[in-house]
Amino acid sequence: MTDYDTYGTSTHTMSELVRLVTGHLDVVFTERESFYRGVYHLAQGTYGCIEIQPNAIPGDDDLYTSEHPAVQVLLLTETPAPEPTLHTRLGAVQGLVHLSRESW
């Protein structure tokens, strides 16, 4: 079963969040660009996949998480199983809020 968690912040920009998460998790992010997602950052490591992206859909007035309109930046995690250490470390990032969790 795979766990998907969504975090958000209205405090930090994407580049600030990349720097903060890099310091808390010792991961390396790679900047990517997508027509649908715009510029986003991807890290893969011992915790699984971590992505940082804007909440706003590029070229559209919609949000990825429309239930959280104040959130400007999203952090998405994908782990093969629940990862309490990852969530504890992300919880230590000031201004980053856990928004949702799904397991499939």
Side-chain angles (χ1 to χ4, degrees), residues 26-89:
D26 194 30
V27 295
V28 176
F29 283 91
T30 303
E31 186 176 292
R32 303 272 178 101
E33 190 167 354
S34 162
F35 176 76
Y36 179 70
R37 297 169 66 187
V39 174
Y40 68 100
H41 300 268
L42 173 68
Q44 298 210 8
T46 57
Y47 294 113
C49 179
I50 302 170
E51 299 179 12
I52 296 175
Q53 70 176 51
N55 191 17
I57 297 174
D60 200 336
D61 291 332
D62 291 331
L63 302 173
Y64 288 105
T65 59
S66 57
E67 64 275 16
H68 301 286
V71 170
Q72 297 172 356
V73 178
L74 299 173
L75 183 147
L76 312 169
T77 66
E78 178 182 332
T79 57
E83 187 58 65
T85 302
L86 172 63
H87 302 297
T88 299
R89 289 186 176 186

